[in-house]
Amino acid sequence: MRTSRQVVDYSLQKRAVLRDVLAGRVGTYDVCDASPYLKNAARFHGEPTEQRCPICRSENLTHVHYIYGDELRQSAGQARTLAELPVLAMTLREFQVFVVEVCLGCDWNHLVEQFLLGRDGLAEGGPEQGVAEAATAATQERRREAQR
Ligand SMILES: [Zn+2]
């Protein structure tokens, strides 16, 4: 059951960037530019994945979930762990989640996807746990994508 909505997938853009890197049109220093803030967010709030970094191929990628929305006030723009999202989704009407993948080895980073979460989306009969299921399903979907 998917309660995350208005999902925007950035895998095409990511593939285009990786093609440019492989072809030598873009240097790795242009794409491996994770800021200290992003790397700290990955260390403290990140979700480890099984996906290898497409650039250095020696580290697994970490997913960082950034949250945005008027209801969040001073929390807007902060990173949250995946486990915190269902709790927020039960208390807030609507907020935006941006998922960024980061390699702590070579600093590669790219936007993975964005989607909306919140109580507004639960009206279609989704129980609260649907949010966690949706997040897990999205992660599993990405793993399948990565293995293709
Ligand atoms: Zn890397």
Side-chain angles (χ1 to χ4, degrees), residues 3 82 86 128-137:
T3 49
L82 193 56
E128 282 78 358
Q129 66 187 48
V131 176
E133 282 168 14
T136 309

Side-chain angles (χ1 to χ4, degrees), residues 18-107:
L18 291 175
R19 260 199 310 273
D20 282 346
V21 172
L22 277 175
R25 288 189 290 269
V26 173
T28 50
Y29 48 83
D30 284 324
V31 294
C32 297
D33 60 350
S35 72
Y37 302 105
L38 178 53
K39 288 197 283 181
N40 271 338
R43 276 189 203 103
F44 297 114
H45 309 285
E47 195 68 24
T49 74
E50 306 283 308
Q51 288 172 256
R52 280 278 155 180
C53 169
I55 301 293
C56 69
R57 305 213 173 258
S58 62
E59 301 271 337
N60 281 354
L61 297 170
T62 303
H63 281 170
V64 182
H65 298 79
Y66 284 106
I67 52 170
Y68 289 89
D70 294 340
E71 290 172 86
L72 294 163
R73 300 173 191 282
Q74 69 271 23
S75 301
Q78 289 182 0
R80 283 287 188 271
T81 63
L82 193 56
E84 288 175 290
L85 296 183
V87 180
L88 283 168
M90 278 186 273
T91 51
L92 298 172
R93 237 171 28 79
E94 186 172 277
F95 61 101
Q96 189 91 37
V97 182
F98 287 84
V99 185
V100 179
E101 65 178 36
V102 192
C103 172
L104 290 170
C106 71
D107 292 359

